Amino acid sequence: MLEINENHSYPFNDVLFTFALASEAAEVFKDHTALITGIGKVNAAYELTKAIQTHKPALIVNLGSAGSTHFKKGDVVCCTKFVQRDMDVRGLGFALYETPLSGLPPVLEYGLEMNGLPIGICGTGDSFEMQHAETIYDVVDMESYALAMIAMKENIPFLCLKYISDGADDNAAEDWTVQVHKAAVAYGSILKLSKEDFTEN
């Protein structure tokens, strides 16, 4: 049973775990329903939409690596708000990050809080951000906004946990390659999967 907080727990068989890359899942999730979407919002949206029709999950869980100048490397952050950080149509009078005519606010609030984890706001965009400045988001990734929006539209509960692998700065690329393999081990521990599955060699 995946226990998120006092009000939300789900049998593992009803949970769809999503990752951008197989390296973020490693062998930890081999006995669970795991979806590898590929990198970026379009891939994430396409693969999740197909998977929902096939698996009909009771809960969607997005796990992966992310950058942050606010949290430190190795932290696992629960993101409950999402921003499409590369959406900028201010030239037509819309707010920064607002998708025109979508009916959605610039900050999408859709995500469960998990006991014991810090809360973050995830900025999603189709770029690997290496010069992050202070904005309305404090975590940076490339898929979560699309996943959260689809989960919301399909009325499926959504949990998003991000392992901070880099500082979204000039060292981000090097840090990511070193840290990304540690994400699956951290998630296995937090989600209380079988210890035999996630013992680090």
Side-chain angles (χ1 to χ4, degrees), residues 14-190:
D14 294 336
V15 179
L16 175 63
F17 294 98
T18 70
F19 306 84
L21 299 170
S23 59
E24 295 173 320
E27 292 298 307
V28 174
F29 293 84
K30 67 183 187 309
D31 296 325
H32 301 277
T33 305
L35 172 69
I36 308 302
T37 66
I39 294 173
K41 291 180 294 182
V42 173
N43 284 330
Y46 174 68
E47 296 297 341
L48 179 59
T49 299
K50 287 198 306 178
I52 288 173
Q53 304 309 310
T54 301
H55 299 291
K56 301 185 179 354
L59 172 72
I60 296 169
V61 178
N62 175 228
L63 306 172
S65 56
S68 179
T69 57
H70 179 76
F71 299 100
K72 66 179 184 295
K73 282 186 287 186
D75 283 350
V76 175
V77 180
C78 181
C79 295
T80 61
K81 299 179 182 179
F82 304 89
V83 175
Q84 195 168 192
R85 60 181 166 87
D86 51 6
M87 180 63 71
D88 186 354
V89 196
R90 286 177 290 179
L92 294 179
F94 295 93
L96 180 61
Y97 311 128
E98 179 183 3
T99 301
L101 310 178
S102 67
L104 297 175
V107 179
L108 177 66
E109 298 187 34
Y110 193 76
L112 299 173
E113 294 187 16
M114 187 164 192
N115 285 342
L117 295 181
I119 302 300
I121 301 174
C122 186
T124 298
D126 287 320
S127 63
F128 188 80
E129 192 160 326
M130 298 180 67
Q131 295 180 332
H132 180 61
E134 290 300 321
T135 61
I136 62 173
Y137 55 88
D138 49 24
V139 173
V140 177
D141 89 331
M142 299 178 69
E143 296 83 26
S144 294
Y145 179 94
L147 300 172
M149 186 190 70
I150 290 171
M152 180 195 69
K153 287 181 176 290
E154 295 295 321
N155 198 30
I156 301 172
F158 183 67
L159 175 68
C160 179
L161 306 183
K162 292 296 175 182
Y163 180 90
I164 305 304
S165 60
D166 63 80
D169 55 19
D170 290 343
N171 298 315
E174 180 179 354
D175 288 345
W176 182 84
T177 58
V178 173
Q179 293 288 323
V180 68
H181 74 284
K182 299 180 180 179
V185 176
Y187 291 133
S189 179
I190 289 171

